[in-house]
Amino acid sequence: MGREKSALRIPALWVNLATALESLRSNWLRSFLTILGVIIGVASVIILVAFGQGARHEITSQIDTLGTNVAVVVPGKLQGQQNFNPMGGMGLSNLTHADTEAVRKVPGVKHAAPLTFIGGGVFYGEKPASICMPIAVTPDFAAVRKLTVDRGRFFTEKELDQPLCVLGMGVAKDLFGEKEPIGETISVNDTPYQVVGVVKERSIGSGLFGGEELDAIVYLPLKAVEKATGISLLHRIFVEVDTNRNPDMVVENIRQAVLKTHRNRDDFSLIRAKELLTMFYKIFTLLAALLLGITSISLIVGGIGIMNVMLVSVTERTREIGIRKTVGARKRDIFAQFLSEAITLSALGGFLGIGLAVLVCALVTRWLPLKPIITVDSVLLGFGVCVAVGILSGVAPAMSAARKDPIEAIRHE
């Protein structure tokens, strides 16, 4: 007997599905407009998660280039509001050469490389560099960041006050093309610098930051820049720790050394790659939650649209409901029929939304730097929410249809 019931249920499911598809086909334009909100909602969820995953992967790859044995001293507090220094985010800094010297003296520190960001443009004659970031550094920076010179050389400690520069490969190609840049002169903020080297290409594909983010740098001697600008502040101090020492202990000793030069004012931060990743992941999690909350509105609107259309459908098909009931259809049969139509509408919107998301991500991957990553979890999330919306929006119309009196329904015109 149990087998007979299950055998009857399976054909009933197919009948309901076939009826739902026929109903959607007969009113295809109305059905499409109904599920448009669901399509946009599902596609938005998948696309936003894909963009977030792509950005996270890109930033993780960039931060990984720092290495696990590299720490960075930055001005201001990066975590929490207490003692936060807003000047650090405005290009100002409280880091000095005394901090660098104190860090160098810490046991276990292999290199301490100060860095200063420089605003302004870079020109070769009248030609500007399209993507470029000039920075003032010392030769220790090349050691910390494992820079490899492709042509020429890196400037030395004795040349820190000389108007020399080393170009990233991207800048060299941008400014000089096929021409040999060694020996040529570029200008940074109207100050001439002679090119003595080109750093080997280090870009990680065509990524979020334009593909040549690690090659779009002009390295200038720190003292020469200070002489030209009259400014001697530092924005970062990159520190390479000896891998044979306990990194946590060395980093703590570095913090104590900088504290002494700052007269025990905790107005700086000391971060490592894993801490940078933690900070970025927190930011991405908050942004993802916010954006998913916004895109869920589309799914809610789509669910309301499905409910409205199903209620209209119940009214239009009142006579059909009455006839089905008079020939033996039970309330649960009517309920299952209309609920299956609502779920079919929603599921169809989900499939179209997934297809739209895949298409958009493919176009973005081909034409833009960002490489979105579609995950199985995001697809299941979008489709699962979509089906849930279909069920919730279909219950009320299905109950309304199931409760209709067969005699009154047959009389309905």
Side-chain angles (χ1 to χ4, degrees):
M1 188 67 181
R3 289 182 179 178
E4 291 178 2
K5 286 184 178 180
S6 62
L8 290 172
R9 284 174 190 164
I10 295 175
L13 290 175
W14 287 110
V15 169
N16 286 334
L17 180 60
T19 304
L21 292 174
E22 177 59 27
S23 176
L24 299 181
R25 188 193 64 78
S26 61
N27 297 284
W28 66 270
L29 182 58
R30 184 175 72 178
S31 300
F32 175 75
L33 294 176
T34 300
I35 64 176
L36 193 56
V38 175
I39 295 173
I40 295 172
V42 172
S44 299
V45 169
I46 296 174
I47 290 171
L48 285 174
V49 173
F51 275 34
Q53 290 293 331
R56 177 177 291 194
H57 178 267
E58 187 70 24
I59 290 177
T60 300
S61 299
Q62 299 299 322
I63 293 175
D64 281 345
T65 63
L66 281 175
T68 57
N69 65 326
V70 175
V72 186
V73 183
V74 299
K77 302 301 292 182
L78 295 181
Q79 295 181 350
Q81 296 299 319
Q82 186 178 4
N83 298 326
F84 175 71
N85 177 17
M87 296 296 105
M90 297 170 59
L92 303 179
S93 175
N94 55 359
L95 299 180
T96 65
H97 290 289
D99 298 323
T100 304
E101 293 305 319
V103 170
R104 280 199 179 107
K105 294 176 182 178
V106 174
V109 171
K110 292 181 66 177
H111 299 283
L115 177 149
T116 299
F117 295 113
I118 305 169
V122 176
F123 290 81
Y124 173 56
E126 299 296 323
K127 183 180 181 180
S130 56
I131 301 176
C132 184
M133 183 175 68
I135 60 175
V137 297
T138 65
D140 281 336
F141 187 81
V144 174
R145 299 296 283 116
K146 302 296 185 289
L147 301 180
T148 302
V149 176
D150 181 71
R151 283 168 284 172
R153 60 184 177 83
F154 212 89
F155 45 81
T156 65
E157 288 286 341
K158 294 181 179 180
E159 296 173 324
L160 280 179
D161 60 348
Q162 300 299 310
L164 307 175
C165 69
V166 177
L167 306 181
M169 184 66 76
V171 181
K173 291 179 179 178
D174 183 21
L175 288 178
F176 297 96
E178 298 299 324
K179 183 178 179 180
E180 177 57 58
I182 306 298
E184 297 292 335
T185 299
I186 65 171
S187 63
V188 181
N189 296 332
D190 296 326
T191 301
Y193 294 90
Q194 184 181 16
V195 180
V196 296
V198 176
V199 173
K200 189 175 181 180
E201 188 171 15
R202 296 191 64 192
S203 62
I204 306 176
S206 180
L208 176 62
F209 304 106
E212 293 185 344
E213 61 278 355
L214 296 178
D215 301 318
I217 297 177
V218 175
Y219 305 92
L220 305 173
L222 185 59
K223 290 181 180 179
V225 171
E226 291 176 347
K227 186 193 302 182
T229 62
I231 300 173
S232 60
L233 59 84
L234 305 176
H235 292 119
R236 302 287 186 270
I237 301 174
F238 283 76
V239 186
E240 183 181 4
V241 178
D242 189 344
T243 54
N244 295 321
R245 299 291 190 105
N246 184 331
D248 294 328
M249 184 178 297
V250 176
V251 167
E252 178 58 27
N253 290 337
I254 292 171
R255 194 179 77 84
Q256 294 299 327
V258 179
L259 269 176
K260 287 181 181 179
T261 62
H262 285 231
R263 298 179 181 178
N264 291 321
R265 288 194 301 268
D266 191 12
D267 53 1
F268 64 94
S269 296
L270 186 57
I271 54 177
R272 287 186 285 173
K274 63 179 182 180
E275 293 165 348
L276 278 175
L277 285 175
T278 300
M279 290 167 55
F280 276 115
Y281 286 171
K282 285 182 179 178
I283 294 171
F284 274 124
T285 301
L286 290 174
L287 287 177
L290 176 62
L291 293 174
L292 285 176
I294 294 173
T295 56
S296 64
I297 296 174
S298 297
L299 287 171
I300 294 173
V301 172
I304 294 172
I306 292 175
M307 183 182 295
N308 287 336
V309 167
M310 291 306 301
L311 288 171
V312 171
S313 179
V314 169
T315 302
E316 291 177 346
R317 295 160 62 186
T318 300
R319 187 175 179 82
E320 174 193 332
I321 294 170
I323 293 173
R324 288 199 63 191
K325 283 196 169 185
T326 57
V327 296
R330 295 161 295 182
K331 285 185 177 182
R332 64 183 182 185
D333 297 325
I334 303 298
F335 179 86
Q337 177 187 348
F338 282 88
L339 182 61
S340 64
E341 288 186 20
I343 295 174
T344 302
L345 262 176
S346 183
L348 182 59
F351 283 122
L352 292 175
I354 293 171
L356 178 61
V358 172
L359 176 62
V360 170
C361 289
L363 292 175
V364 168
T365 300
R366 182 170 182 177
W367 299 109
L368 295 178
L370 179 60
K371 307 301 180 188
I373 300 174
I374 297 179
T375 62
V376 175
D377 290 343
S378 65
V379 173
L380 293 178
L381 172 65
F383 190 74
V385 172
C386 153
V387 172
V389 166
I391 294 174
L392 293 175
S393 60
V395 169
M399 290 180 64
S400 174
R403 289 172 179 172
K404 288 189 176 296
D405 181 81
I407 304 300
E408 293 297 328
I410 290 177
R411 291 176 180 174
H412 181 79
E413 295 295 336

